[in-house]
């Protein structure tokens, strides 16, 4: 094995000497990419993909370095550095030099491997893309992530469609079927849908896998012709689906070492026209095993426990396998070297002339059974053998030892020796041995065509005759019997067929195909000549049994004859139920281990042995009911003794009466299509069919006529019921009409009385209304009068208020004028006083000025007296006005002339008396002007305060009068 380290080289040779891969491992070259740092480390390869030619492949490591390896030209080239890990690759585009790479940032880029340029950059995924599938034409690509799948047009690099799903479901894989226009989508809930690429319409959905081998699919592979889909998961079972028939047709069990399947891929072959037969299965142990899906044999394997495989890709032409190892390196395998041992030409044909001495046989160490067929090689170990189905056929066209060789390579003689030693087959392998002994062809298509015809008319009401508790068991029995009836017409009229088939249906209820073929094989071989006297029991077969019984136990047969017991009573119930009524499940299985391992006459001998072994209780029976009960119920009988007796009868019965010569040897069902079964009197069956058809037609006519009579009777009864109902209704209507007339008369009387009472009430109400209207009119007039009076009072109050305001404004104006005059006088006095002071400074004018000052002082005093008189008069007038206002407020409607009320009430003081009082003011001299000003200001403020209080009182009284006019009126 050659190894190449890419290092920091951008190009170079893959190998330096011509590779010669060994058949042991088949490795052409091992490619490693290590860094050139001072601490070198291996850069792990993550993904690899072949181009359409199969001679070039592309690989990317976790640092984003993408290499192209030319296996034909022995070259490698670094074509791109993306600086991030790649998660998926595709190299089979329409433009051969372009490739797609999915990166860790969820984007997809298209590069050219020749120019090393970026062609396009596609975005749209929100999680890592783990799969890229390219259409056979190279025009479209599907990129798949865990939450969505997207369809891209590689001509425009535009997204065409997007598949969105529920987050709880998840996508396993979405890919194109090879050489077709179909898209297959596989989800985590095991649902698989097929879609048309152009219209994206759903073409079909595969059914759910059987519960007995339920696997959660995780990996998928399709043959090159797109007909077979392989699916696997966390199990050692492989499911093979036929996409044309849309059904599961095979389940392959891998060796016990395989616990989970990580990758699947078919190995293409140039001569199989796309129907690939070899499937590569990568399991959890890192070993990829290649098995033949037809023979189910392990062909070869790559990888080991020490050097496990992480993922693998097979070239389109099937010459190379590129595997990424668990250590990060890349191995290139030669398929030719791996299959060298398998593809060897067959050895020459030999024929035994004489036996070798035993010493030579022992010294050789290999024991081979030499027959006239091909030379047998030593068998592989049991681990490598998954499942085998080989038909060893002589090249001359003759079959030798057909009785001794089963279809799966099991030797019948050895099985018989094993059976005689242990009495029965191991429970674990019983079904496999039965299928091998009976050589079942497993014709899925033929059986499906029979099942698709539906339930046969003869078994539509099967549950009425055979009420089975398990509905599933009833359906399987009904389906199996219907398939038998569709296979041959006689089985639709065979009354004991459900009894014959029921034990096998119960045993194989989970595999209806095997169940049907076991029953069909039983009928063809062990039920020979049963239908020659149809519809009667097989007299010829019962005669054979009676002859054998007569030879071995004449006493018992004579006892049967004496009590008028025929073979139809002591033999036929055992045959038509195949001993299922008289044996337990374990006893029945043990018996049929021996029946299926021997000649078909063994079953007839078993009937004789069962009677001879039960001779004691049978000789004690004398009533016919006792005999019937005995042969329809379980008895105290050791089945092992019966089987030994059967073998004794088989060996000791004379040839002239032995059933072995009367029955044909075992014949298996044919492969592909089931054989025609016509071993019955066809004219009787046809006559019965015609009679049954005639009877059915007569019954249909009778039923139709009876139905017509019943319909007519029903119509007459219905009409009679309707007439009676109509008469009853009319009677009820008449009674109801009379009742309503009486009710109307009573209602009319009540209405008349109510009208009288209503008229009197109306009169009373009219009188009361007139009184109320009169009282209301008087109240309204009184209210209008009160409102007029109140309006007059309001107007008077308004006039008085306006007069008062006018007087107050006049008084205020006069007071302001007096105040201004007084201030001017005071300012003038002060000004004159200052001038006098200034004049007194001059001594020469002192006297003159003094005289003038005296004169001015005299005039000033005169003016002050006049001013004092004026102030006293004004004060008296204000006090008089205040008193009048207060009196008016207290007695607003006692209007007395002001002049009269002033003289009478307050004692009018003449002006002369005021002048007399004011003369006293002249005596108060030497009062400074400032003191007089202060006194005047105080008096003015006091007066203004009294006026303000008076105004507030008047306003409040006016408001009270407006709010309570009725009080003023009273």
């Amino acid at each position: 094995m050659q190894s190449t380290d890419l290092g920091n080289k951008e190009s170079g040779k893959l190998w330096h000497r011509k590779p010669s891969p060994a058949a042991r491992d088949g490795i052409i070259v091992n490619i490693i990419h290590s860094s050139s740092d001072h601490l070198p480390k291996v850069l792990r390869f993550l993904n690899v993909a072949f181009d359409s030619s199969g001679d070039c492949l592309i690989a990317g490591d976790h640092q984003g370095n993408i290499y192209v390896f030319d296996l034909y030209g022995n070259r490698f080239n670094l074509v791109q550095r993306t600086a991030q890990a790649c998660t998926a690759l595709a190299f089979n585009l329409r433009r051969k030099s372009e490739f797609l790479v999915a990166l860790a940032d969820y984007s997809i880029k298209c590069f050219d491997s020749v120019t090393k340029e970026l062609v396009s950059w596609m975005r749209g995924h929100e999680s890592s893309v783990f799969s890229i599938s390219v259409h056979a034409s190279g025009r479209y690509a599907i990129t798949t992530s865990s939450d969505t799948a997207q369809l891209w047009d590689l001509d425009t690099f535009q997204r065409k469609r997007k598949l969105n799903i529920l987050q709880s479901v998840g996508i396993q894989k979405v890919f194109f079927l090879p050489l077709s226009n179909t898209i297959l989508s596989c989800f985590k809930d095991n649902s698989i849908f097929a879609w048309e690429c152009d219209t994206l319409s759903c073409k079909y959905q595969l059914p759910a896998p059987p519960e007995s081998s339920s696997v959660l699919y995780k990996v998928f592979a399709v043959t090159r012709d797109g007909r077979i889909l392989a699916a696997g998961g966390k199990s050692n079972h492989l499911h093979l689906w036929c996409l044309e028939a849309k059904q599961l047709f095979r389940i392959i069990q891998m060796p016990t070492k395989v616990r989970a399947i990580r990758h699947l891929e078919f190995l293409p072959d140039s001569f199989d026209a796309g129907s690939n037969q070899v499937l590569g299965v990568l399991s959890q142990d890192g070993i990829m095993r290649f098995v033949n899906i037809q023979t189910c044999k392990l062909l070869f394997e790559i990888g080991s426990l020490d050097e496990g495989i992480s993922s693998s890709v097979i070239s389109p032409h099937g010459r190379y396998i590129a595997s990424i190892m668990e250590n990060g390196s890349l191995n290139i395998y030669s398929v030719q070297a791996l299959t060298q041992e398998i593809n060897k030409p067959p050895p020459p044909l030999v024929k035994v002339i004489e036996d070798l001495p035993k010493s030579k046989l022992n010294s050789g160490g290999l024991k081979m059974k030499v027959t006239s067929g091909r030379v047998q090689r030593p068998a592989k170990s049991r681990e490598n053998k998954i499942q085998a189905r080989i038909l060893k056929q002589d090249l001359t066209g003759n079959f030798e030892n057909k009785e001794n060789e089963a279809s799966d390579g099991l030797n019948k003689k050895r099985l018989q020796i094993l059976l005689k030693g242990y009495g029965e087959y191991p429970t674990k392998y019983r079904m496999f041995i039965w299928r091998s002994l009976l050589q079942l062809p497993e014709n899925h298509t033929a059986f499906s065509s029979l099942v698709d015809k539906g339930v046969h008319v003869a078994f539509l009401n099967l549950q009425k005759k055979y009420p089975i508790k398990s509905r599933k068991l009833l359906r399987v029995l009904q389906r199996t019997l219907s398939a038998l009836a569709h296979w041959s017409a006689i089985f639709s009229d065979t009354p004991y067929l459900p009894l014959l088939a029921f034990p096998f249906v119960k045993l194989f209820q989970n595999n209806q195909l095997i169940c049907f073929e076991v029953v069909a094989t039983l009928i063809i071989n062990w039920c020979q000549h049963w239908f020659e006297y149809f519809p009667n029991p097989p007299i010829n077969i019962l005669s054979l049994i009676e002859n054998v019984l007569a030879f071995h136990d004449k006493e018992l047969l004579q006892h049967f004859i004496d009590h008028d017991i025929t073979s139809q009573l002591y033999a036929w119930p055992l045959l038509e139920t195949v001993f299922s009524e008289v044996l337990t499940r374990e006893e029945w299985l043990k018996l049929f281990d021996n029946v299926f391992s021997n000649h078909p006459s063994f079953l007839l001998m078993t009937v004789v042995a069962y009677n001879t072994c039960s001779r004691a209780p049978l000789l004690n029976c004398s009533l016919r009911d006792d005999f019937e009960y005995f042969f329809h119920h379980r008895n105290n009988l050791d089945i092992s003794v019966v089987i030994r007796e059967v073998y004794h009868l088989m060996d000791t019965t004379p040839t002239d009466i032995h059933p072995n010569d009367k029955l044909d040897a075992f014949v298996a069902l044919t492969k592909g299509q089931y054989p025609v079964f016509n071993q019955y009197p066809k004219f009787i069956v046809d006559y019965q069919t015609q009679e049954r058809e005639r009877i059915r037609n007569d019954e249909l006519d009778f039923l139709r006529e009876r139905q017509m009579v019943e319909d007519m009777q029903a119509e007459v009864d219905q009409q009679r019921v309707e007439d009676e109902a109509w008469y009853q209704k009319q009677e009820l209507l008449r009674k109801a009409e009379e009742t309503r007339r009486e009710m109307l008369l009573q209602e009319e009387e009540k209405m008349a009385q109510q009208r009288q009472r209503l008229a009197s009430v109306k009169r009373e109400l009219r009188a009361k209304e007139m009184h109320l209207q009169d009282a209301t009119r008087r109240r309204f007039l009184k209210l209008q009068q009160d409102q007029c009076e109140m309006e007059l009072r309001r107007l008077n109050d308004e006039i008085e208020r306006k007069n008062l305001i006018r007087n107050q404004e006049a008084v205020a104006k006069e007071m302001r004028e007096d105040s201004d005059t007084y201030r001017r006088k005071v300012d003038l006095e002060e000004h004159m006083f200052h001038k006098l002071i200034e004049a007194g400074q001059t001594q020469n004018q002192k006297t003159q000025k003094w005289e003038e000052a005296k004169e001015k002082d005299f005039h000033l005093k005169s003016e002050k007296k006049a001013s004092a008189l004026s102030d006293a008069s004004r004060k008296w007038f204000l006090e008089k006005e205040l008193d009048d206002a207060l009196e008016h407020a207290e007695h607003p409607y006692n209007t007395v002339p002001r002049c009269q009320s002033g003289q009478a009430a307050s004692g009018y003081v003449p002006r002369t008396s005021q002048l007399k009082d004011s003369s006293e003011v002249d005596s108060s001299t030497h009062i400074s002007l400032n003191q007089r000003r202060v006194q005047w200001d105080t008096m003015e403020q006091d007066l203004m305060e009294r006026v303000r209080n008076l105004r507030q009182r008047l306003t409040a009284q006016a408001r009270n009068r407006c709010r309570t006019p009725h009080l003023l009126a009273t």
Side-chain angles (χ1 to χ4, degrees):
M1 179 185 71
Q2 299 187 54
S3 180
T4 300
D5 188 356
L6 302 180
N8 59 353
K9 295 181 290 185
E10 294 188 0
S11 62
K13 290 186 177 182
L14 285 175
W15 52 79
H16 296 281
R17 65 179 185 273
K18 185 177 180 180
S20 56
R24 178 177 54 85
D25 55 13
I27 299 177
I28 297 175
V29 63
N30 172 250
I31 302 172
I32 303 172
H33 186 199
S34 59
S35 62
S36 58
D37 301 336
H38 62 284
L39 293 175
K41 60 179 181 180
V42 176
L43 302 180
R44 300 173 57 85
F45 286 102
L46 298 180
N47 288 280
V48 63
F50 279 95
D51 66 353
S52 56
S53 67
D55 293 327
C56 287
L57 64 121
I58 189 170
D61 59 25
H62 71 275
Q63 286 191 352
N65 301 310
I66 300 177
Y67 290 87
V68 171
F69 302 98
D70 185 359
L71 302 180
Y72 181 79
N74 186 23
R75 299 290 299 176
F76 73 87
N77 288 288
L78 176 66
V79 295
Q80 197 58 235
R81 286 191 175 97
T82 61
Q84 53 182 324
C86 64
T87 58
L89 289 170
F91 198 23
N92 52 343
L93 278 62
R94 184 159 59 179
R95 290 176 284 273
K96 305 301 180 183
S97 61
E98 294 180 357
F99 63 90
L100 294 175
V101 54
L103 301 175
D105 62 354
Y106 313 152
S107 65
I108 303 103
K109 292 184 178 180
C110 180
F111 293 100
D112 193 301
S113 60
V114 177
T115 62
K116 302 180 181 181
E117 294 179 352
L118 176 65
V119 178
S120 181
W121 192 353
M122 297 173 284
R123 290 182 176 273
H125 283 277
E126 297 179 356
S127 58
S128 179
V129 176
F130 56 79
S131 170
I132 301 176
S133 176
V134 181
H135 191 265
S137 64
R139 180 180 177 184
Y140 302 109
I142 296 176
T143 57
T144 308
S145 59
S146 60
D147 56 350
T148 183
Q150 301 185 15
L151 177 64
W152 303 88
D153 188 341
L154 297 183
D155 289 340
T156 61
F157 294 100
Q158 298 293 322
R159 184 174 65 192
K160 291 189 64 179
R161 292 293 180 90
K162 181 179 180 181
L163 173 63
N164 291 320
I165 62 167
L166 295 175
Q167 189 175 4
S168 59
V169 177
I171 299 176
Q172 287 290 9
K173 193 173 183 182
V174 181
F175 55 95
F176 288 103
L177 290 183
L179 306 177
S180 71
N181 210 29
T182 304
I183 299 174
L184 213 62
S185 60
C186 311
F187 301 96
K188 292 184 179 179
D189 60 353
N190 271 20
S191 59
I192 301 176
F193 294 86
W195 311 84
E196 182 66 30
C197 178
D198 295 332
T199 62
L200 290 182
S201 59
C202 184
K203 297 176 67 176
Y204 58 84
Q205 178 185 3
L206 295 183
E211 297 180 358
S212 59
S213 180
S214 180
V215 180
L216 286 178
Y217 297 152
K218 292 185 177 295
V219 289
F220 306 88
V222 183
T223 55
R224 299 293 293 175
D225 58 3
R227 294 182 178 179
I228 297 177
L229 170 69
K234 197 173 182 180
S235 170
N236 65 343
H237 284 189
L238 275 175
H239 287 189
L240 298 181
W241 291 85
C242 178
L243 297 182
E244 291 181 341
K246 305 174 187 62
Q247 63 180 1
L248 180 68
F249 73 93
R250 184 165 300 164
I251 299 176
I252 300 177
Q253 183 176 2
M254 297 295 291
T256 55
K257 294 181 180 179
V258 178
R259 298 191 303 273
I261 298 174
R262 292 164 50 182
H263 182 70
L264 293 173
E265 189 156 0
F266 280 96
L267 180 64
D269 192 335
S270 302
F271 303 101
D272 59 5
S275 58
N276 312 134
Q277 303 297 314
V278 180
L279 177 63
V281 182
L282 177 62
S283 57
Q284 88 290 338
D285 56 3
I287 299 175
M288 192 167 187
R289 299 170 174 84
F290 288 83
V291 297
N292 189 302
I293 62 174
Q294 296 297 329
T295 63
C296 299
K297 281 195 172 183
L298 178 63
L299 302 180
F300 62 91
E301 59 185 31
I302 57 176
S304 63
L305 296 177
D306 297 331
E307 297 181 357
I309 297 175
S310 177
S311 63
S312 288
V313 178
I314 302 176
S315 63
H317 49 52
R319 287 198 293 266
Y320 304 110
I321 302 174
S323 299
I324 297 177
M325 312 304 290
E326 292 180 349
N327 60 10
S329 63
L330 179 64
N331 280 359
I332 309 297
Y333 295 89
S334 171
V335 177
Q336 182 180 2
L338 292 170
T339 57
Q340 183 176 359
E341 185 69 21
I342 302 172
N343 295 331
K344 281 184 177 180
L349 298 178
V350 297
K351 204 164 187 177
V352 178
I353 304 298
E354 59 181 356
D355 294 332
L356 293 174
K358 292 185 178 179
S359 59
K360 290 186 177 181
L361 289 174
N362 294 334
S363 62
L366 292 176
K367 294 182 179 181
M368 295 185 296
K369 182 179 180 181
V370 182
T371 63
S372 59
R374 294 171 182 252
V375 177
Q376 296 182 350
R377 297 180 184 175
K380 292 187 178 181
S381 64
R382 189 179 184 87
E383 295 181 355
N384 293 341
K385 185 172 181 181
I386 301 174
Q387 190 177 355
R389 285 193 289 272
I390 302 177
L391 182 62
K392 297 179 182 289
Q393 184 177 356
D394 197 328
L395 295 179
T396 61
N398 297 324
F399 291 91
E400 294 186 3
N401 294 330
K402 183 177 179 181
E403 291 285 331
N404 297 336
E405 293 296 332
S407 63
D408 285 354
L410 298 178
N411 189 281
K412 192 172 182 178
K413 289 293 184 183
R414 291 183 180 179
L415 289 175
Q416 289 176 344
I417 295 172
L418 177 68
L419 184 62
K420 289 182 179 180
Y422 291 95
E424 59 181 338
Y425 292 128
T427 304
K428 183 178 181 180
Y429 301 105
R430 175 176 280 123
M431 298 300 104
F432 172 71
I433 294 174
W434 282 17
R435 293 167 64 178
S436 177
L437 290 172
L438 300 178
Q439 302 178 23
L440 303 181
E442 299 185 19
N443 297 329
H444 291 270
T445 305
F447 177 69
S448 298
S449 64
L450 294 175
V451 172
D452 291 342
K453 294 180 180 179
V455 179
H456 197 276
V457 180
F459 303 107
L460 285 174
N461 299 320
L462 183 67
Q463 68 276 8
K464 294 181 180 180
K465 190 174 182 180
Y466 300 97
I468 302 175
K469 291 182 179 180
S470 174
R471 297 184 62 85
K472 177 184 176 182
L473 195 60
L474 178 63
R475 287 196 303 270
V476 176
L477 177 62
Q478 192 178 41
R479 195 171 298 172
T480 304
L481 297 177
S482 299
L484 290 170
H486 291 308
W487 175 42
S488 180
I490 191 173
F491 297 128
S492 62
D493 298 322
T494 306
Y496 56 85
L497 185 64
L499 300 174
L500 180 73
F502 180 74
F504 299 98
V505 169
K506 193 172 183 179
L507 188 64
F508 296 100
Q509 57 182 317
N510 293 325
N511 195 333
Q512 300 177 34
L513 171 64
I514 300 300
C515 176
F516 170 81
E517 293 186 348
V518 168
V519 176
T521 305
L522 177 72
I523 292 174
I524 290 177
N525 294 279
W526 282 272
C527 299
Q528 297 181 41
H529 310 294
W530 280 28
F531 307 97
E532 293 179 358
Y533 293 91
F534 184 84
N536 299 314
I539 306 299
N540 51 348
I541 298 298
L542 298 179
S543 299
L544 292 175
I545 295 174
E546 188 171 352
N547 293 335
V548 175
L549 180 62
F551 178 81
H552 291 283
D553 199 336
K554 294 181 180 179
E555 182 183 0
L556 181 60
L557 180 60
Q558 187 62 41
H559 179 72
F560 287 152
I561 295 173
D562 293 341
H563 292 85
D564 197 18
I565 303 300
T566 64
S567 57
Q568 296 186 21
L569 184 59
Y570 67 79
W572 181 236
L574 301 178
L575 288 176
E576 68 178 356
T577 61
V578 286
F579 292 89
S580 60
E581 286 185 345
V582 298
L583 299 178
T584 63
R585 174 185 172 89
E586 290 74 17
E587 293 173 344
W588 186 85
L589 291 173
K590 190 174 182 179
L591 172 62
F592 270 84
D593 285 344
N594 292 271
V595 170
F596 287 152
S597 301
N598 288 278
H599 192 271
S601 61
F602 191 90
L603 183 62
L604 305 183
M605 288 297 190
T606 306
V607 177
V608 178
Y610 188 84
N611 281 272
T612 57
C613 292
S614 305
R615 68 188 311 272
L618 288 174
L619 291 173
N620 292 328
C621 294
S622 58
L623 300 177
R624 184 178 181 87
D625 293 340
D626 295 339
F627 287 103
E628 290 180 354
Y629 183 87
F630 184 88
F631 290 106
H632 286 281
H633 293 81
R634 296 175 184 174
N635 303 288
N636 267 337
L637 193 63
D638 188 359
I639 192 63
S640 300
V641 175
V642 176
I643 293 174
R644 284 198 299 271
E645 179 66 18
V646 174
Y647 281 108
H648 174 71
L649 296 176
M650 292 284 289
D651 295 336
T652 59
T653 302
T655 307
D656 55 341
I657 62 173
H658 201 296
N660 196 11
D661 295 337
K662 308 299 187 295
L663 301 179
D664 298 332
F666 174 82
V667 177
L669 296 177
T670 56
K671 188 77 173 178
Q673 295 292 333
Y674 296 116
V676 177
F677 185 81
N678 54 4
Q679 299 175 7
Y680 57 88
K682 191 172 184 300
F683 69 95
I684 294 179
V685 175
D686 293 343
Y687 175 75
Q688 285 191 344
T689 304
Q690 294 173 2
E691 285 296 311
R692 188 171 57 252
E693 187 67 24
R694 184 184 61 78
I695 293 172
R696 183 160 54 247
N697 292 332
D698 292 342
E699 288 180 352
L700 291 175
D701 294 338
F702 170 73
L703 292 175
R704 194 179 301 109
E705 292 178 359
R706 188 176 68 178
Q707 185 65 32
M708 291 175 60
V709 172
E710 290 178 354
D711 292 342
M712 293 175 63
Q713 184 65 35
E715 290 180 0
V716 171
D717 295 340
Q718 182 69 21
Q719 187 64 36
R720 180 171 50 80
V721 170
E722 290 179 355
D723 292 343
E724 292 179 356
W726 186 82
Y727 286 122
Q728 292 177 359
K729 189 175 180 181
Q730 292 298 320
E731 182 66 22
L732 291 175
L733 288 174
R734 185 185 61 78
K735 293 181 179 179
E737 185 178 1
E738 292 177 356
T739 304
R740 281 173 173 73
R741 284 179 181 175
E742 294 177 358
M743 291 174 62
L744 285 173
L745 292 175
Q746 294 176 1
E747 290 294 330
E748 287 179 357
E749 292 178 359
K750 291 180 181 180
M751 288 294 293
Q753 296 175 2
Q754 290 179 359
R755 287 195 187 96
Q756 293 177 1
R757 288 196 297 270
L758 184 60
S760 61
V761 170
K762 283 183 177 180
R763 287 193 296 270
E764 293 176 0
L765 289 176
R766 192 175 295 109
K768 290 181 180 180
E769 185 178 0
M770 291 175 64
H771 290 301
L772 287 174
Q773 288 179 354
D774 186 37
T776 303
R777 184 178 56 81
R778 287 195 300 270
R779 284 198 302 272
F780 181 71
L781 293 176
K782 183 67 171 61
L783 180 60
Q784 284 185 340
Q785 184 180 357
D786 293 342
Q787 287 180 351
C788 290
E789 291 177 357
M790 193 167 65
E791 183 68 21
L792 290 174
R793 287 194 297 270
R794 189 183 63 79
L795 292 175
N796 291 333
D797 293 341
E798 185 69 22
I799 291 170
E800 291 178 358
R801 187 178 62 79
K802 288 183 178 180
N803 292 333
L804 180 59
I805 292 173
R806 193 179 297 113
N807 293 335
Q808 289 176 356
E809 290 177 353
V811 172
K813 183 177 180 182
E814 186 178 355
M815 290 175 64
R816 283 196 300 272
E817 291 177 354
D818 292 342
S819 176
D820 293 339
T821 303
Y822 174 74
R823 283 178 181 156
R824 284 196 300 270
K825 288 180 179 180
V826 171
D827 292 339
L828 182 59
E829 289 177 354
E830 289 180 355
H831 180 68
M832 295 301 295
F833 180 72
H834 287 301
K835 281 185 177 182
L836 288 175
I837 293 174
E838 290 176 0
Q841 292 178 359
T842 307
Q843 293 181 359
N844 55 0
Q845 296 178 357
K846 187 179 294 185
T847 303
Q848 185 178 355
K849 288 181 180 179
W850 179 255
E851 291 295 336
E852 291 177 359
K854 284 184 178 182
E855 187 177 357
K856 289 181 180 179
D857 185 42
F858 173 76
H859 289 293
L860 183 59
K861 289 179 180 180
S862 300
E863 291 178 359
K864 285 181 180 179
K865 289 179 181 179
S867 178
L869 291 175
S870 176
D871 291 339
S873 176
R874 189 164 54 250
K875 183 177 180 181
W876 173 85
F877 175 76
L878 289 174
E879 290 177 355
K880 177 62 175 159
E881 290 292 334
L882 288 173
D883 293 339
D884 292 342
L886 290 174
E887 184 178 1
H888 178 71
E890 294 175 358
H891 305 285
Y893 299 102
N894 295 334
T895 55
V896 182
R898 184 174 296 176
C899 59
Q900 296 177 3
S901 61
Q903 293 175 0
S906 59
Y908 179 73
V909 181
R911 185 174 182 82
T912 55
S913 62
Q914 292 183 2
L915 292 175
K916 182 180 180 181
D917 295 333
S918 62
S919 61
E920 297 176 358
V921 182
D922 296 334
S923 60
S924 58
T925 56
H926 304 290
I927 297 176
S928 66
L929 296 175
N930 291 330
Q931 292 177 351
R932 291 169 60 192
R933 181 182 297 172
V934 171
Q935 291 177 358
W936 175 255
D937 290 339
T938 303
M939 182 180 64
E940 184 178 8
Q941 291 177 0
D942 184 31
L943 182 60
M944 295 298 293
E945 185 68 24
R946 292 177 65 185
V947 171
R948 192 184 300 102
N949 292 337
L950 178 61
R951 184 179 299 170
Q952 292 177 357
R953 289 175 59 189
L954 293 174
T955 303
Q957 290 178 3
R959 289 178 179 173
N960 291 334
R961 286 196 300 271
C962 294
R963 290 178 182 172
T964 57
H966 60 280
L967 296 177
L968 296 176
T970 56

